[in-house]
Amino acid sequence: MRNTAMNMVHKLAARDERVLYIGSDPGAGTLRAMSKEFPKRHLIEGISEAHIIGMSAGLAMEGLLPYVNTIATFLTRRCYEQVAVDLCLHNLPVRLIANGGGLVYAPLGPTHQAIEDIAIMRALPNMTVICPCDADEAARMMEQTLDWKGPIYIRLGKGGDAIVSKAEHGFEIGKAILMRPQGDVLMVTTGIMLQRAFAAADLLAAQGVRAGILHMHTVKPLDTAALLHAIRGVKLVATLEEHVPSGGLGSAIAEALIDKLGAGLPAMLRLSLPDRFMHNYGSQDSLLKKHGLSADAIATSIEHALAASRTSAPQLHPT
Amino acid sequence: MIQISPHAEAALTCTLDERSLYLRRLVLGSVRSAGRGHVGPALSLIEMVRVLYDDVLRIDPTNPRDPNRDRAILSKGHGCLALYVLLADRGFFPLSELDGFCGPDSILGGHPEYGMVPGVEASTGALGHGLSIGVGLALAARMRERSYRTFVLLGDGEINEGSVWEAAMGAAKHGLDNLVAIIDYNKLQSYGPTDYVLPLEPLADKWRSFGFAVQELNGHDVGALRTVLKQVPAVPGKPTAIICHTVKGKGLPAAESNADWHHKNKLTDSELDAIRVAVGDF
Ligand SMILES: Cc1ncc(C[n+]2csc(CCOP(=O)(O)OP(=O)(O)O)c2C)c(N)n1
């Protein structure tokens, strides 16, 4: 996904002379071909994220289109004020390409694990937040970034995520994709949780539970219309995310449903990472598994939640 | 012992001409109507902003978005009253707006906002952002082959921020000789003296070692400011840093070098009387 997104920057640069790549201190050879073809538009600016965001704002004010790229934690935590003030307040078209969203850098520990990035980026007025699910979708997504107004935070997974999106799904920023029609339960996913949702849906089907999947690649602006459409008739809405419980996809969905449905809320299950830093290493996969986000665990949690929603009607006035 | 610069001594003793007094009356009038304002930070800036807007910037108030205009960013956004009075005086918006400073429907907030105030190039107020934005503007000028220059006004306390020095390295890396950093070196920040809060000396050497061509002067000397600001870049191929020795609160004896005047709420009758004595009736 990462290489694809990077190569897309080169491709877009060939098409549109406003496009710049700005890296801090990326791996040797990052976008080498672009650095050869467009040396003036391939900028390596040093381990100075706050400065790079401000500088990108200045460039964007003059009509250029910077694609800023570094590790997700540094692109969010390190320079949050610059992102808020220089990019969002001025509403400038800078694209933040965040490597290693979620637990991709599991072995490198908590400094490199972007587990609250969706929450803090989503909280900013004017910011758009996109989490593509695989390399093919990342390529379709990048195509849409040339003319989108305002800043975009792009949360990339690692390389080699299974390809589950299809060309016919298309890609439009802010438009969710119904990957499987709704059944008893609707799973809402973002990023690479889609792969797990597919596997969980297969496991559930074997148990006679029909599970739909809504892929919310754009967490902000949230496609509330698609959400409301997709929850029709379901007994349970389950959100899946590689993120802490506060402020991410699950929060966004819950907020939207509360705002739109008030008292008529469906039963909800929010599956996420716990509200703490991870002190285990291993791999993205092993950490997701440890925190109940393997396909097996997702299917089991959904079955339990469905069973619970059958037995306990909502109690508005507990005794 | 650090030598006191002769420019710093001159800044303390020099007198102000009628235009400088007039601009101070406008600033203090705004503070009086709003019942608040960053007085000291604006008064130390007046001559720098005045010379920029009167004599240096290639700008047209009737065409504030002209792509070829020079860019100026007030990175120490809290000094905005100095900027507002110059912009109003130059016709970017009516002088009457100054009375509404910080009011609920005013375009003029306690920090300048891009898109709200004609002539304001960037929203500032969080310190340490302006020089990076300036680097972006200056680099864009080169990429787009435009001849505009970019001037960034910074506070001396502001340059405590590491991001400023990141930006300085970036400016030098790109050899941005179309970029000018103007430092309001009034030796005071919010709590007290820069020497106490976070010492900056040797300041000129710092900027030099970061790759800037450095000029130092008395930042209340209009003539010296004109000469230096009209001769940028000081060295071709290098960004310029102009260290302006100034006095926070310059022109108001009670406020001069007095951290209590960093931000003022309501001005008392006796303070208003003292202001009239210092700058004339307003
Ligand atoms: C990032 C940030 N931190 C703190 C502040 C609060 N603050 C406003 S003005 C100021 C002092 C600035 O001192 P200096 O740059 O020397 O400007 P002066 O007031 O002397 O003109 C501080 C700490 C701020 N606006 N931004």
Side-chain angles (χ1 to χ4, degrees):
Chain A
M1 191 186 309
R2 182 165 123 206
N3 286 340
T4 304
M6 287 296 105
N7 292 333
M8 280 302 296
V9 176
H10 184 186
K11 248 176 106 173
L12 296 176
R15 278 215 311 259
D16 187 328
E17 60 178 21
R18 298 172 303 158
V19 171
L20 310 174
Y21 171 79
I22 307 181
S24 53
D25 188 17
T30 298
L31 277 179
R32 191 195 309 275
M34 177 176 175
S35 75
K36 296 255 150 59
E37 194 179 351
F38 305 112
K40 294 200 171 131
R41 291 195 280 145
H42 178 276
L43 301 168
I44 303 296
E45 294 301 305
I47 312 161
S48 54
E49 296 79 6
H51 162 60
I52 287 177
I53 298 297
M55 171 180 147
S56 303
L59 289 161
M61 284 172 180
E62 297 304 326
L64 292 150
L65 196 51
Y67 286 71
V68 180
N69 170 233
T70 183
I71 292 172
T73 48
F74 311 135
L75 204 45
T76 54
R77 296 173 179 167
R78 179 56 170 226
C79 46
Y80 193 61
E81 189 179 79
Q82 277 74 13
V83 172
V85 175
D86 302 351
L87 303 188
C88 293
L89 177 59
H90 293 83
N91 201 13
L92 291 168
V94 173
R95 283 64 179 107
L96 305 176
I97 307 186
N99 295 347
L103 298 171
V104 168
Y105 290 119
L108 303 185
T111 55
H112 284 59
Q113 296 166 359
I115 55 175
E116 79 298 325
D117 55 335
I118 296 178
I120 62 177
M121 289 294 121
R122 185 171 86 80
L124 295 170
N126 294 332
M127 182 59 92
T128 291
V129 178
I130 307 179
C131 317
C133 64
D134 60 28
D136 288 6
E137 185 173 74
R140 288 191 287 274
M141 175 272 298
M142 290 291 285
E143 290 280 350
Q144 305 298 312
T145 55
L146 285 178
D147 297 314
W148 185 256
K149 195 173 147 50
I152 310 179
Y153 176 71
I154 299 166
R155 185 199 224 210
L156 294 183
K158 66 167 188 293
D161 300 293
I163 303 293
V164 289
S165 72
K166 299 198 178 78
E168 62 259 32
H169 293 137
F171 192 94
E172 209 181 316
I173 296 175
K175 290 276 175 277
I177 301 171
L178 190 65
M179 291 283 180
R180 276 202 191 179
Q182 60 267 60
D184 309 304
V185 55
L186 177 76
M187 287 186 263
V188 187
T189 68
T190 196
I192 56 103
M193 294 310 288
L194 179 60
Q195 284 83 335
R196 281 152 204 271
F198 274 121
D202 290 342
L203 293 171
L204 287 165
Q207 303 296 316
V209 177
R210 289 174 309 122
I213 303 174
L214 184 66
H215 174 44
M216 201 59 89
H217 50 69
T218 307
V219 182
K220 184 182 183 177
L222 193 79
D223 189 351
T224 310
L227 175 67
L228 292 178
H229 194 261
I231 63 165
R232 279 193 208 154
V234 306
K235 302 190 185 85
L236 178 72
V237 177
T239 58
L240 275 52
E241 62 188 317
E242 188 185 8
H243 191 272
V244 292
S246 336
L249 176 72
S251 301
I253 300 297
E255 290 158 13
L257 292 178
I258 289 169
D259 289 347
K260 294 290 171 193
L261 302 178
L265 285 176
M268 256 197 94
L269 172 69
R270 294 196 297 139
L271 296 175
S272 70
L273 300 172
D275 178 21
R276 62 179 161 82
F277 292 103
M278 312 276 130
H279 297 296
N280 303 93
Y281 310 110
S283 64
Q284 181 184 29
D285 199 47
S286 69
L287 277 186
L288 287 174
K289 187 163 180 187
K290 183 177 167 65
H291 294 293
L293 292 170
S294 64
D296 279 343
I298 292 166
T300 308
S301 298
I302 286 176
E303 280 186 273
H304 287 162
L306 276 173
S309 71
R310 274 194 290 274
T311 52
S312 66
Q315 260 191 317
L316 288 179
H317 302 287
T319 46
Chain B
M1 242 318 263
I2 292 164
Q3 292 279 307
I4 295 187
S5 155
H7 301 301
E9 293 203 14
L12 279 165
T13 53
C14 70
T15 53
L16 301 168
D17 67 10
E18 174 48 32
R19 179 152 174 78
S20 279
L21 293 176
Y22 160 73
L23 295 167
R24 280 173 173 74
R25 289 196 289 275
L26 292 181
V27 166
L28 292 158
S30 281
V31 176
R32 180 178 52 194
S33 359
R36 62 175 304 132
H38 282 94
V39 176
L43 297 190
S44 86
L45 274 177
I46 296 264
E47 282 67 39
M48 292 171 262
V49 184
R50 162 186 167 181
V51 170
L52 273 179
Y53 282 84
D54 283 358
D55 304 302
V56 177
L57 296 177
R58 302 170 192 142
I59 45 166
D60 175 3
T62 63
N63 188 10
R65 306 300 304 160
D66 177 358
N68 293 316
R69 74 197 182 280
D70 284 337
R71 297 351 183 219
I73 293 179
L74 182 62
S75 193
K76 53 164 270 192
H78 64 289
C80 57
L81 277 170
L83 177 62
Y84 293 161
V85 302
L86 258 306
L87 289 174
D89 182 71
R90 289 296 314 274
F92 281 87
F93 52 82
L95 277 167
S96 56
E97 286 287 345
L98 294 172
D99 293 334
F101 177 58
C102 283
D105 300 315
S106 176
I107 58 166
L108 306 179
H111 294 95
E113 275 200 68
Y114 170 81
M116 296 282 290
V117 190
V120 166
E121 299 283 357
S123 299
T124 52
L127 297 167
H129 291 232
L131 194 57
S132 294
I133 296 175
V135 168
L137 296 176
L139 198 57
R142 176 180 300 167
M143 288 177 171
R144 313 217 104 181
E145 294 175 7
R146 293 214 168 113
S147 60
Y148 68 80
R149 298 147 325 149
T150 300
F151 297 82
V152 181
L153 286 146
L154 300 132
D156 49 6
E158 173 177 19
I159 66 175
N160 295 169
E161 290 284 1
S163 57
V164 173
W165 300 99
E166 295 176 7
M169 285 190 280
K173 165 183 171 162
H174 291 287
L176 295 176
D177 61 6
N178 53 356
L179 178 69
V180 183
I182 304 173
I183 295 112
D184 180 4
Y185 194 14
N186 60 28
K187 328 276 181 317
L188 266 188
Q189 41 199 103
S190 178
Y191 181 81
T194 49
D195 257 355
Y196 179 83
V197 179
L198 194 58
L200 295 168
E201 286 295 343
L203 186 59
D205 288 346
K206 280 198 175 74
W207 285 98
R208 238 175 250 123
S209 70
F210 273 73
F212 280 62
V214 179
Q215 305 273 1
E216 273 190 87
L217 49 77
N218 164 11
H220 300 299
D221 181 339
V222 171
L225 282 164
R226 276 190 198 120
T227 307
V228 167
L229 282 166
K230 282 185 172 184
Q231 277 169 12
V232 291
V235 174
K238 283 187 171 196
T240 305
I242 303 177
I243 298 177
C244 298
H245 292 268
T246 55
V247 175
K248 194 155 168 169
K250 177 74 184 178
L252 262 194
E256 286 188 357
S257 307
N258 181 353
D260 291 340
W261 280 74
H262 173 73
H263 184 271
K264 266 289 184 192
N265 292 324
K266 205 173 146 33
L267 297 169
T268 64
D269 286 343
S270 66
E271 283 166 343
L272 288 169
D273 288 341
I275 291 172
R276 284 188 194 97
V277 171
V279 300
D281 212 4
F282 72 115

